[in-house]
Amino acid sequence: LAYKSNITINNVVVDSCKGAGIYIDQSNIKINGSLFSNIVGNGVTVKNSQLEIKGSRFSKSNAGISVENSTLYMNTSKVDSNALGLSSNATSVFIKESEFSYNYNTNTSGGGLRIVSAPEAILEKVKIFHNYTTSAGGGIDFKGTNPVLKNVEIAYNSSDFTGGGINFESLGTGQIALQ
């Protein structure tokens, strides 16, 4: 647990935990070259904070990364084999050169990523492969968000409801910018 802190985590392995691997509230955190795996709960849970992730892997957890009311910067990382890759609510999301694959969600919408009410959402050079949900948005589920997707590869995702690759609910007027 980190509260009102500035934290840097370099080359750390968090494995076989129950509950969140790391829980962050009202803090600034940087995660570099680390592994979060086999966690009963979320790999990283972040609220009201700024999170920067680089060169890390999140695997075999409920959600690899869960962020709320925060800002997320993610670069050259991999999120795979979780129930849900990324769960984001009311968070600005900036993801570059990362991969979301083989996430299998049977609880909510979004297999690879679920981004809800993001003030900004920019995904650049991101690969989203082989994700699944019993709900909407096998690859990505956007709700109340106007995302920008730049050179994003979305393939082999599936959904039992709508949007095997992308599900988009604008909650009013909205758009997806593809570049």
Side-chain angles (χ1 to χ4, degrees), residues 24-60:
I24 307 296
D25 193 2
Q26 298 180 36
S27 298
N28 293 317
I29 182 168
K30 295 180 182 181
I31 300 173
N32 302 303
S34 296
L35 170 65
F36 294 80
S37 185
N38 299 306
I39 298 171
V40 179
N42 300 328
V44 175
T45 298
V46 177
K47 294 184 178 182
N48 311 304
S49 299
Q50 180 170 310
L51 172 63
E52 295 180 38
I53 300 170
K54 187 172 183 181
S56 296
R57 183 173 178 201
F58 301 83
S59 183
K60 300 177 184 168

Side-chain angles (χ1 to χ4, degrees), residues 95-99 123-127 149-153:
I95 302 174
K96 188 173 183 178
E97 297 177 0
S98 296
E99 179 180 314
L123 282 66
E124 183 175 354
K125 295 182 181 175
V126 174
K127 294 180 180 181
L149 306 180
K150 300 177 182 180
N151 195 20
V152 173
E153 295 179 52

Side-chain angles (χ1 to χ4, degrees), residues 76-93:
T76 59
S77 294
K78 185 171 183 175
V79 182
D80 65 54
S81 305
N82 299 286
L84 171 59
L86 168 69
S87 176
S88 167
N89 188 17
T91 293
S92 292
V93 176

